[in-house]
């Protein structure tokens, strides 16, 4: 699926971001690695696990490819556009290797698992290929590649969660951090390759998650995002007490660490999010009132073909329930235009669903077939490209209208903002987000990164709230 992300760049939509060394001193290592990540937040979190493994093996991080002994790309197979970018980058790195024969090039992640043969044998782009569950084998594979052998490990695991590895936050602002709580996915959505590249669901121990969040708080971080392909299906059994921990209970445990630690989570599957989760969000001030609830289509017929296991009416009832329990909750979504057999009537159903939900943020794509998925095996990709693009543009235009209206409704209100750093456009301004995940820009004055600041909204664009600090508040 090629992407069109309307108006905003979001953590889950970043493409081709290289990790910088952060607080790790380059000069203390004889070997250095460069890592570039594509795709979803899970991939960026995985890259931090990879950095920790390489650090233990004597590699330091560098943001300069010319200083790297090892270049890695952590890949995504969800969208064709990401795969195209990865191939282009690997070709560039391969050309670099012609003048540096000792350079090792590796591909990690979902695309590695799916295209291992093409990378190693047909295109000869890389030296090592490592799947999402095999990062512990990196040191041995690197050693083999150094001796001239190609290294491959794309085996999927039923129990790997990397719970014992403390991620190295290579490209962090020191305020926000991802915390992976589970891996894999049991939902066989027909358009999605994730179950085949990341394997079955398994939940990380609640103890290890709480410990990681506590360490982050002590290191000065003020926000964690709990990550999973479907966080609402988190289920960990404490073997000592024989008591299960659900996602609602885990969310509460993280919130109780400290009122200074703001908590977000992603992603929720509409069929699994429960009232227990909603009540927990409402109960704790430091759990953000924001839910990413992908719908994918507004047509019940198309949803059935996608194997989403809910209808249009069921989804609408879930949105109604969220807004009943948490009236000021921000809601975002994913939607695909032009899925197999989608008719104009189906497309109008998607537009009308968007009109009903009026999302605060939307990630909108047109469908392109992903090899290995159930849709590729069962259905013809029969909607012409020009129609897909036209339908996508109509979705985008409607979303932009809703986004602007949503922003305008916030003018005059006051929100607690967690300062994430300077504004990208003006060094005399700071930026952060409110509970609803909206970006807010305001004058710097005496405030610093990591502060909580009450900000009164005085204006907006379609993608940003603009405000001024309310007096006498800083925490």
């Amino acid at each position: 699926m090629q992407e069109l992300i309307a108006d905003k760049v979001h953590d889950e939509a970043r493409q081709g971001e290289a990790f910088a060394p952060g607080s790790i001193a380059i000069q203390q290592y004889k070997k250095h690695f460069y890592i570039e990540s594509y795709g979803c937040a899970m991939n960026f979190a995985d890259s931090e696990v990879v950095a920790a493994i390489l650090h233990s093996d004597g590699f330091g991080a560098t943001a300069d490819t010319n200083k790297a002994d090892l270049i890695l790309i952590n890949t995504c197979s969800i969208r064709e556009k990401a795969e195209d970018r990865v191939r282009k980058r690997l070709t560039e790195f391969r050309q670099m290797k012609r003048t540096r024969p000792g350079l090792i090039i590796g591909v990690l992640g979902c695309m590695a698992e799916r295209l291992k043969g093409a990378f190693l044998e047909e295109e000869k782009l890389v030296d090592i290929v490592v799947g999402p569950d095999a990062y512990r084998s990196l040191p041995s594979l690197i050693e083999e590649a150094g001796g001239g052998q190609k290294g491959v490990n794309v085996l999927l695991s039923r129990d790997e969660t990397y719970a014992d590895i403390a991620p190295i936050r290579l490209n962090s602002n020191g305020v926000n951090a991802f915390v992976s709580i589970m891996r894999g996915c049991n939902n066989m959505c027909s358009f999605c390759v994730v179950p085949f590249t990341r394997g079955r669901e398994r939940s990380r121990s609640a103890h290890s998650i709480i410990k990681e969040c506590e360490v982050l708080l002590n290191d000065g971080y003020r926000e964690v995002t709990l990550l999973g392909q479907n966080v609402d299906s988190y289920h960990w059994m404490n073997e000592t007490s024989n008591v299960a921990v659900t996602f609602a209970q885990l969310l509460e445990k993280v919130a109780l660490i400290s009122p200074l630690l703001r908590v977000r989570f992603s992603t929720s599957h509409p069929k699994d999010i429960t009232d227990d989760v909603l009540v927990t969000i409402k109960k704790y001030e430091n759990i953000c009132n924001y839910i990413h609830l992908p719908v994918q289509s507004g047509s019940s017929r198309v949803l059935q073909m996608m194997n989403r296991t809910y209808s249009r009416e069921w989804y609408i009832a879930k949105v109604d329930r969220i807004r009943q329990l948490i009236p000021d909750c921000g809601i975002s979504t994913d939607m695909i235009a032009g899925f197999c057999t989608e008719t104009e009537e189906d497309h109008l159903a998607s537009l009308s669903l968007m009109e009903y939900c009026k999302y605060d943020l939307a990630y909108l794509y047109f469908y392109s077939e992903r090899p290995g998925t159930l849709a590729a095996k069962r259905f013809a990709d029969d909607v012409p490209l020009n129609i897909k693009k036209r339908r996508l543009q109509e979705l985008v235009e409607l979303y932009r209208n809703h986004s602007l209206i949503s922003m305008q409704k916030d003018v005059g209100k006051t929100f607690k903002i967690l300062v994430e750093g300077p504004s990208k456009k003006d060094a005399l301004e700071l930026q952060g987000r409110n509970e609803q995940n909206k970006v807010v820009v305001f004058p710097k004055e005496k405030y610093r990164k990591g502060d909580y600041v009450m900000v009164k909204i005085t204006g907006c664009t379609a993608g940003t709230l603009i405000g001024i600090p309310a007096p006498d508040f800083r925490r």
Side-chain angles (χ1 to χ4, degrees):
M1 288 168 285
Q2 290 190 349
E3 62 182 323
L4 180 49
I5 301 172
D7 290 326
K8 298 184 181 181
V9 176
H10 185 268
D11 288 340
E12 293 186 354
R14 292 180 296 180
Q15 297 287 335
E17 181 171 309
F19 278 113
S23 61
I24 300 174
I26 294 178
Q27 61 270 19
Q28 70 186 79
Y29 298 99
K30 294 182 179 179
K31 301 178 292 182
H32 300 98
F33 72 91
Y34 169 93
I35 188 166
E36 198 168 282
S37 298
Y38 289 74
C40 69
M42 290 292 295
N43 269 18
F44 288 84
D46 277 3
S47 290
E48 295 177 339
V49 169
V50 168
I53 291 170
L54 292 175
H55 179 262
S56 297
D57 195 46
F59 280 85
T62 179
D64 184 352
T65 55
N66 293 314
K67 295 180 179 178
D69 304 282
L70 170 68
I71 293 178
L72 300 173
I73 296 188
N74 196 350
T75 62
C76 174
S77 274
I78 296 296
R79 293 184 281 278
E80 185 177 11
K81 190 174 182 180
E83 289 199 358
D84 291 343
R85 288 177 178 175
V86 166
R87 288 185 185 280
K88 183 175 182 292
R89 289 296 279 160
L90 287 175
T91 300
E92 292 170 358
F93 293 144
R94 198 66 187 175
Q95 292 173 347
M96 184 186 300
K97 184 166 181 173
R98 291 175 182 173
T99 59
R100 297 166 57 195
L103 177 65
I104 297 173
I105 301 171
V107 63
L108 314 175
C110 297
M111 196 173 168
E113 196 283 333
R114 194 173 75 77
L115 296 173
K116 51 187 177 291
F119 282 145
L120 285 170
E121 304 301 332
E122 299 167 29
E123 301 173 44
K124 302 185 185 301
L125 290 174
V126 300
D127 303 299
I128 57 176
V129 177
V130 189
D133 290 347
Y135 296 142
R136 293 181 194 269
S137 66
L138 263 169
S140 61
L141 295 176
I142 292 167
E143 184 177 357
E144 290 175 10
Q149 300 181 33
K150 300 292 184 181
V152 184
N153 188 345
V154 293
L155 294 176
L156 294 176
S157 170
R158 291 183 178 273
D159 52 19
E160 179 62 87
T161 63
Y162 301 109
D164 61 319
I165 295 176
I168 291 179
R169 315 289 171 176
L170 290 178
N171 201 36
S172 172
N173 60 6
V175 177
N176 318 93
F178 294 134
V179 176
S180 178
I181 67 170
M182 59 192 300
R183 300 184 71 82
C185 185
N186 288 349
N187 296 305
M188 299 297 290
C189 300
S190 64
F191 56 83
C192 185
V193 74
V194 167
F196 307 104
T197 58
R198 284 189 171 269
R200 306 287 286 178
E201 283 180 2
R202 59 271 191 200
S203 297
R204 184 178 159 190
S205 80
H207 299 315
S208 68
I209 296 167
I210 300 302
K211 181 179 178 181
E212 182 174 338
C213 292
E214 289 173 341
V215 169
L216 287 166
L217 177 68
N218 291 334
D219 286 345
Y221 288 81
R222 290 296 175 263
E223 182 179 284
V224 295
T225 300
L226 307 181
L227 291 180
Q229 241 65 53
N230 176 18
V231 291
D232 299 290
S233 62
Y234 176 89
H235 186 273
W236 176 70
M237 182 65 70
N238 187 329
E239 295 181 359
T240 303
S241 62
N242 203 33
V243 174
V245 177
T246 66
F247 179 60
Q249 292 166 335
L250 177 69
L251 199 55
E252 181 174 51
K253 290 175 184 294
V254 176
L256 287 171
I257 291 172
S258 170
L260 292 177
L261 186 65
R262 182 179 266 187
V263 186
R264 299 185 187 273
F265 59 89
S266 186
T267 296
S268 288
H269 195 295
K271 73 178 176 62
D272 291 320
I273 191 168
T274 65
D275 274 10
D276 286 345
V277 172
L278 302 180
V279 169
T280 303
I281 294 171
K282 184 177 181 179
K283 181 178 179 182
Y284 292 95
E285 188 267 343
N286 59 327
I287 302 178
C288 292
N289 292 344
Y290 173 76
I291 297 172
H292 185 58
L293 199 70
V295 65
Q296 308 300 356
S297 174
S299 163
S300 292
R301 185 189 73 83
V302 174
L303 287 171
Q304 185 175 14
M305 291 185 66
M306 290 177 166
N307 196 33
R308 291 293 287 175
T309 68
Y310 54 80
S311 66
R312 169 193 177 92
E313 292 74 22
W314 195 96
Y315 181 91
I316 287 174
K318 183 61 68 175
V319 170
D320 288 344
R321 184 60 172 162
I322 292 170
R323 288 180 170 153
Q324 177 188 1
L325 291 177
I326 315 170
D328 61 342
C329 190
I331 301 177
S332 61
T333 199
D334 298 343
M335 193 173 287
I336 300 169
F339 186 70
C340 309
T341 79
E342 183 186 70
T343 65
E344 201 64 24
E345 183 180 2
D346 295 323
H347 172 58
L348 291 174
S350 291
L351 288 170
S352 68
L353 181 71
M354 287 189 70
E355 188 65 57
Y356 182 88
C357 295
K358 291 181 170 61
Y359 296 107
D360 298 280
L361 188 60
Y363 305 97
L364 308 170
Y365 319 92
F366 67 74
Y367 176 73
S368 65
E369 189 174 85
R370 310 309 296 131
T373 60
L374 298 178
K377 296 174 182 178
R378 296 176 180 175
F379 311 127
D381 182 8
D382 57 357
V383 179
L385 181 59
N386 65 318
I387 294 178
K388 290 179 182 178
K389 289 185 176 181
R390 189 261 299 170
R391 290 176 181 172
L392 174 60
Q393 188 58 38
E394 290 176 1
L395 291 171
V396 169
E397 289 174 359
L398 182 59
Y399 158 68
R400 284 177 173 160
N401 290 336
H402 292 161
S403 177
L404 179 58
I405 291 170
S406 175
M407 292 291 182
Q408 289 171 337
K409 286 180 178 178
D410 287 337
V411 175
K413 296 179 181 178
T414 299
F415 296 101
K416 181 190 284 188
I417 308 303
L418 174 59
V419 180
E420 298 178 356
S423 167
K424 295 177 181 178
K425 294 183 179 181
D426 189 340
L428 296 178
E429 292 185 331
L430 295 173
Q431 74 174 37
R433 287 175 292 163
N434 65 6
E435 283 193 83
Q436 291 75 24
N437 207 35
K438 294 178 180 179
V439 174
V440 181
V441 174
F442 58 94
K444 184 177 182 179
E445 296 185 3
K446 60 183 178 180
Y447 305 108
R448 299 173 300 184
K449 184 171 67 174
D451 284 345
Y452 285 102
V453 183
M454 296 301 293
V455 176
K456 183 174 181 179
I457 307 303
T458 57
C460 70
T461 68
T464 305
L465 295 174
I466 301 165
I468 57 173
D472 301 324
F473 182 93
R474 175 179 171 182
R475 193 173 75 187

